Amino acid sequence: MRSFLRRDCLYFWHKPACNRIIASGIEFRDFVPDFSSAGGVVMLRHEFNDASLDGKSRFDFAPAAKLEELTADDIINYGDFCWADFGR
């Protein structure tokens, strides 16, 4: 595990003009229950080996059915993990 990671602080940066929220100190698996009815997540930067390719957007994604497998993966050691919710 990387020594620079802090898990005792939660930081959110919200920039509505860019439609962007950046979070630190919270894990991806904390968001997953909210995606159960969505199409899954688009992954812009990741190391998930079982990602699917969306033909329209040309981005890798994990459909809702694969989210449990994704959360069980070693996401903390991916380095960058950039994602967005995905409705198909």
Side-chain angles (χ1 to χ4, degrees):
M1 186 175 296
R2 297 171 187 208
S3 61
F4 64 86
L5 294 173
R6 290 195 57 165
R7 294 179 179 247
D8 57 347
C9 294
L10 181 59
Y11 173 78
F12 280 95
W13 178 59
H14 183 217
K15 191 165 185 180
C18 296
N19 246 0
R20 185 170 296 164
I21 295 175
I22 297 173
S24 178
I26 191 167
E27 293 190 35
F28 175 73
R29 68 175 167 235
D30 297 326
F31 289 97
V32 170
D34 295 325
F35 300 138
S36 60
S37 62
V41 294
V42 170
M43 296 177 293
L44 307 173
R45 276 175 278 182
H46 67 93
E47 293 181 24
F48 184 53
N49 291 325
D50 203 17
S52 300
L53 180 67
D54 178 58
K56 290 183 180 179
S57 70
R58 308 297 295 164
F59 286 118
D60 287 338
F61 76 99
K66 289 187 180 179
L67 291 178
E68 187 174 329
E69 179 185 346
L70 176 58
T71 57
D73 207 10
D74 193 16
I75 294 173
I76 196 74
N77 286 315
Y78 283 5
D80 289 337
F81 181 55
C82 182
W83 58 273
D85 59 331
F86 184 64
R88 295 194 95 206

